[in-house]
Structure formats: C-alpha cells, structure tokens
Amino acid sequence: MSIESKPAARTGAPVVTDGTAAAHKTRVSPLAIVVLVMLAVFAYFAFVFAPEDELQGAMQRIFYIHVPSAWICFVGFGVTFLSSIAYLSSRKEKWDTIAASSAEIGTLFTTVVLATGMMWGHAIWGVYWTWEPRLTSFLVLWLMYLGYLAVRAYVPDPARRARFSAVIGIIAFIDVPIIYLSVNWWRTLHPQQVIITGDGPHMPGAMVIALMVGLTTFSLVYVYLMRLRLDVARLATQLEEIES
Amino acid sequence: MISNNINLFVGYGLAGVLYIGYTVSLHVRRRNLQAAIASQTDLQN
C-alpha cells in the first residue's frame, strides 16, 4: 500500500531509456506514510482506548470502522454527484474522470459498510440480513453504483458513457439523504443516530474520540485512493493518446 | 461472546481484505500502464 511509483519525468511523456518498468522510480509517498501511521493509531483507539460496551461487548468495536466507512461512502458519492453536474454543464472530461474515480471508491466503502454491518447484525440481531428500511435503502445505493460502474464498463463510446453515467450519478445520490433519514422516517431495527443529535452525542466521550479518529483515518484513505485512482486514469489516457 | 469475537474478527478481516485488495489492484494497474507506456514510447523512438 505504501509504495508508489512515478514516471522519471512529469513533463509530457515519461523519459524512457530501456522500455522496462525499471525505468520508473519507486518511492514512498508522504501521504502513504501518514495513512499507515493513522491506521496504526486507529487500531489503538478502536481496540484499546475505547471502552468496551456493557451490552454488546467487544462486538461494538466494529462501530469504529462501520460508521466512518458509511460517512466516507456518502462523501465519495457526493463528489460523484457534484462532478457529474459539473460534467453535464461543462462537458469537460476531467469531471467525468473525478466522478468515475469517486464512484468506484465510494462503492468500495459501501461494500465494507454492508460487510461489517452484516457481521454486527448477526452478533446482535441473530441474522446477517433483514429487510428493514436502513439496510434495504443502503443495499439499493450499492446496487445503483454497481449499475453506474457497469455502464462505464460496457458503453464503448466515451461521450455517451460519460453522459449516461453522469445522469446515474446524479439520480443515485437521491438515495443518500433517504438512507440518513430512514431511521427517523420509519420504525427500524437499525439504531437511531447517536452522534449528530439535537442534544449532543449519545455515547461516552472516549467512544466519540475513537470514532473521530476512525473518521479522520478513513478520510485520508479516501484521499489516498482518489489520488491513486486519478493517477491510473491519467496514465490510461496517456496510453490511449500514444496508441492512437 | 465467542461468536461476537469471531464476527468482530471476520468484520475487520473482510474490511481489510477489501481495502488492501483494492489498493493493490490500483498499484498493479498503474504499474502495468507505466510499463505499456514505456514500451510504446520505446517503439516510437
């Protein structure tokens, strides 16, 4: 995760001497180091610093990865939503690239939310899955962004692909506020909001601190993955230009 | 409680596999693209 490689030169096409991957420098980016350090700090706060929940025991510690992953997936899809609007209004390719990259990473975070949520549900509710509003609306979100990625994979014409996926990226985001408010709108098995409430967080301060450390860590993971994904997109475009 | 600990381990394990797997896949894609660009540039030269 921490190793990044870059072309020998950043100006235009890379300087190549022997036609092999050895022509590229390999280095560790400062952001990768920060992410690795923060992951270690996160592990300490999630498993040592935060007190054990009286009712749920150790299982409650999955909260520190489940909730930040959910918040960051919303941020990721928010970036896709705004970039899709920017693409449709400007038709600039860079907005399509940002939207696609963020959707891919947002889908990764959504998958983590579903996986950790199922483990938590099985421990507390006795079932991996139940068709209640929060879980169902989250599954719908995941399926919509899988559809978004499928459109990107199977529509060959770049302009049509960008236009179709931008429309899906805008429509799919409507599900985000529905997910967030589902625990208020309907009677759900899923817990109510415990952090953003009218009268402050409904949990011990040490747990809130551990959650904030998790949120910071996974925000950095998102930024790191976005940089990497955008780099891949840039290189793919560069290769297409060379081949055409 | 044992079941709880297994679920916690599996939950964090799945998350780790997904995050690390995706990160590695991006590194591999980038490395392959860099190699392809390098070989194409060599051919043109």
Side-chain angles (χ1 to χ4, degrees):
Chain A
M1 176 174 185
S2 63
I3 305 298
E4 284 196 7
S5 52
K6 58 184 283 190
R10 284 280 185 194
T11 51
V15 174
V16 178
T17 53
D18 59 1
T20 68
H24 303 282
K25 281 185 189 172
T26 299
R27 66 180 181 91
V28 181
S29 79
L31 181 60
I33 294 169
V34 171
V35 168
L36 284 174
V37 169
M38 279 308 295
L39 283 170
V41 172
F42 164 73
Y44 170 77
F45 274 83
F47 291 100
V48 180
F49 178 83
E52 191 152 302
D53 187 78
E54 287 178 11
L55 290 175
Q56 299 185 25
M59 192 62 219
Q60 187 271 341
R61 293 184 191 278
I62 206 153
F63 173 81
Y64 305 114
I65 193 168
H66 178 75
V67 174
S69 296
W71 287 359
I72 301 302
C73 93
F74 292 159
V75 170
F77 294 145
V79 169
T80 299
F81 171 73
L82 294 174
S83 304
S84 298
I85 292 172
Y87 174 77
L88 288 179
S89 55
S90 70
R91 303 288 164 159
K92 287 183 179 167
E93 199 179 315
K94 72 170 182 180
W95 294 119
D96 177 54
T97 306
I98 293 171
S101 302
S102 197
E104 196 175 291
I105 296 164
T107 307
L108 168 76
F109 276 85
T110 312
T111 310
V112 170
V113 175
L114 288 171
T116 53
M118 286 169 80
M119 289 299 122
W120 200 359
H122 183 250
I124 305 303
W125 303 332
V127 289
Y128 287 105
W129 186 263
T130 178
W131 295 100
E132 63 91 71
R134 172 59 74 88
L135 274 66
T136 306
S137 54
F138 217 98
L139 181 68
V140 168
L141 185 78
W142 187 64
L143 292 172
M144 283 196 290
Y145 281 95
L146 284 181
Y148 177 98
L149 296 176
V151 165
R152 296 204 67 88
Y154 293 110
V155 175
D157 178 51
R160 279 167 62 98
R161 178 174 64 216
R163 201 167 61 248
F164 287 171
S165 54
V167 171
I168 298 170
I170 292 167
I171 293 172
F173 190 72
I174 294 169
D175 195 29
V176 170
I178 293 173
I179 292 168
Y180 186 76
L181 295 168
S182 60
V183 290
N184 300 337
W185 287 348
W186 296 289
R187 193 179 299 174
T188 65
L189 198 57
H190 193 280
Q192 300 282 315
Q193 283 121 0
V194 291
I195 302 297
I196 303 170
T197 65
D199 52 350
H202 291 179
M203 62 192 323
M207 288 183 175
V208 176
I209 291 170
L211 178 68
M212 291 305 139
V213 171
L215 187 60
T216 307
T217 304
F218 288 99
S219 299
L220 288 168
V221 169
Y222 170 78
V223 172
Y224 175 78
L225 290 175
M226 269 299 278
R227 278 187 55 180
L228 198 53
R229 179 63 182 76
L230 289 172
D231 211 17
V232 167
R234 179 183 61 79
L235 288 168
T237 307
Q238 198 177 331
L239 182 62
E240 278 173 21
E241 284 169 2
I242 292 170
E243 286 177 338
S244 61
Chain B
M1 194 57 79
I2 290 170
S3 167
N4 265 5
N5 289 341
I6 291 170
N7 280 4
L8 181 67
F9 178 77
V10 172
Y12 270 93
L14 281 172
V17 166
L18 286 165
Y19 284 133
I20 294 169
Y22 180 70
T23 307
V24 169
S25 81
L26 284 182
H27 277 285
V28 170
R29 280 159 73 182
R30 187 169 67 170
R31 184 148 292 235
N32 289 344
L33 283 166
Q34 285 172 338
I37 289 168
S39 64
Q40 286 288 335
T41 313
D42 259 8
L43 281 174
Q44 286 177 5
N45 289 341

